[in-house]
Amino acid sequence: MSKIVLREDERLDDLNHLGRQIIQRTDAFCFGMDAVLLAHFPKYGARCRVLDLGTGTGVIPLLMVEEADTVDALELDAEMAERAARSVEYNGLEEKIRVKQGDYREIKELYPAESFDVVLANPPYFPVKSGLAAAVPEKAKARHELTATLSDVIRAARYVLKYHGRFAMVHIPERLDEIFVALSANQMAPKRVQLIEPREGKPANLVLVEAMVGGQAGSIRWLPTLRVYDKEGKYTAEALKYYGKESME
């Protein structure tokens, strides 16, 4: 690992994955389990070229890069992109992960068409109603569609994906109908879907979706629902597999 100098508002967090660590701000939104689940949801390949749309802190590439050939990480916020690039350098992965600052709504100016095998996205979940943008708390802004919509991210994914390329995203179940409509409008068909529920007796609060460009409609594989916590509030065995652990003790 390279040497690192943390700024006053930064900390270094352990990813519990191959000894890797990530730089995050102490006063800003930090990654959650949704990013961990998404990183390990698709199947990659040794020659697979991956693009992470809206990479944020760069956590997803750091968690899955060894499963692919290369990963491009695109982030709109210049400060966050710089921090993600420093995390990549700190972990010695500059030859595998390439961080770029840019707006995926302008994807045609950033990457050639059909140049990736897999695209990942953990986009904002909630639409912002007219006049309410200023009321969204700072740490919650990453979860609200202040700069890009669901359609924006799916449109960008389609542009860069090869024929039969795969797009994987994590979102909320309440918007599954919108997700399926947007996928269809961009020549993609959902192939694998998995609901995530926080604990027994609670409704699912996340959903993982994998779609294929040019895939046949009507062939969705619904995976068993993943429960994150058991009755005692501890991670279930299924959830711990995503962290490569048998327990968090």
Side-chain angles (χ1 to χ4, degrees), residues 23-158:
I23 305 167
Q24 300 199 98
R25 275 184 56 169
T26 56
D27 60 346
F29 178 84
C30 296
F31 78 89
M33 191 172 188
D34 50 359
V36 178
L37 294 172
L38 176 60
H40 299 296
F41 185 59
K43 294 181 180 178
Y44 305 99
R47 300 178 65 182
C48 186
R49 190 176 179 207
V50 180
L51 172 62
D52 182 23
L53 291 172
T55 196
T57 59
V59 59
I60 289 176
L62 291 174
L63 289 172
M64 50 65 61
V65 64
E66 67 277 1
E67 300 180 48
D69 183 15
T70 60
V71 183
D72 280 58
L74 181 65
E75 173 53 41
L76 174 63
D77 185 273
E79 181 182 342
M80 195 169 287
E82 188 270 344
R83 190 176 301 113
R86 287 165 56 217
S87 289
V88 169
E89 182 180 0
Y90 177 69
N91 289 280
L93 293 168
E94 304 97 311
E95 294 185 4
K96 294 275 287 183
I97 302 174
R98 298 170 293 213
V99 179
K100 178 182 288 189
Q101 189 275 325
D103 188 340
Y104 59 67
R105 291 173 296 180
E106 307 295 334
I107 195 71
K108 293 182 180 181
E109 299 178 9
L110 301 171
Y111 299 102
E114 300 185 2
S115 52
F116 289 91
D117 303 291
V118 175
V119 172
L120 305 170
N122 182 3
Y125 296 155
F126 307 105
V128 177
K129 296 181 181 179
S130 178
L132 294 182
V136 178
E138 191 64 33
K139 285 192 176 183
K141 286 185 176 179
R143 286 292 175 253
H144 291 77
E145 294 179 334
L146 294 172
T147 57
T149 65
L150 176 61
S151 294
D152 288 332
V153 70
I154 292 177
R155 190 181 304 113
R158 172 60 190 97

Side-chain angles (χ1 to χ4, degrees), residues 3 16 25 44 95 122 132 150 160 225 227 230-231 233:
K3 291 183 179 179
N16 294 301
R25 275 184 56 169
Y44 305 99
E95 294 185 4
N122 182 3
L132 294 182
L150 176 61
V160 296
T225 298
R227 184 174 300 154
D230 62 21
K231 295 180 180 179

Side-chain angles (χ1 to χ4, degrees), residues 124-234:
Y125 296 155
F126 307 105
V128 177
K129 296 181 181 179
S130 178
L132 294 182
V136 178
E138 191 64 33
K139 285 192 176 183
K141 286 185 176 179
R143 286 292 175 253
H144 291 77
E145 294 179 334
L146 294 172
T147 57
T149 65
L150 176 61
S151 294
D152 288 332
V153 70
I154 292 177
R155 190 181 304 113
R158 172 60 190 97
Y159 175 77
V160 296
L161 276 171
K162 298 177 180 178
Y163 185 71
H164 280 180
R166 289 169 291 122
F167 171 55
M169 71 185 307
V170 59
H171 219 284
I172 53 176
E174 295 91 324
R175 301 189 71 184
L176 260 179
D177 56 344
E178 295 177 68
I179 292 170
F180 288 172
V181 168
L183 289 171
S184 178
N186 287 276
Q187 300 82 47
M188 289 190 276
K191 290 298 177 183
R192 296 167 65 238
V193 180
Q194 185 173 34
L195 291 168
I196 313 297
E197 62 181 33
R199 52 178 49 84
E200 185 177 357
K202 295 291 184 180
N205 61 347
L206 291 173
V207 63
L208 293 162
V209 178
E210 185 180 54
M212 177 184 289
V213 175
Q216 181 179 358
S219 58
I220 302 175
R221 179 186 174 195
W222 288 87
L223 303 178
T225 298
L226 172 65
R227 184 174 300 154
V228 178
Y229 298 105
D230 62 21
K231 295 180 180 179
E232 298 178 353
K234 297 181 179 180

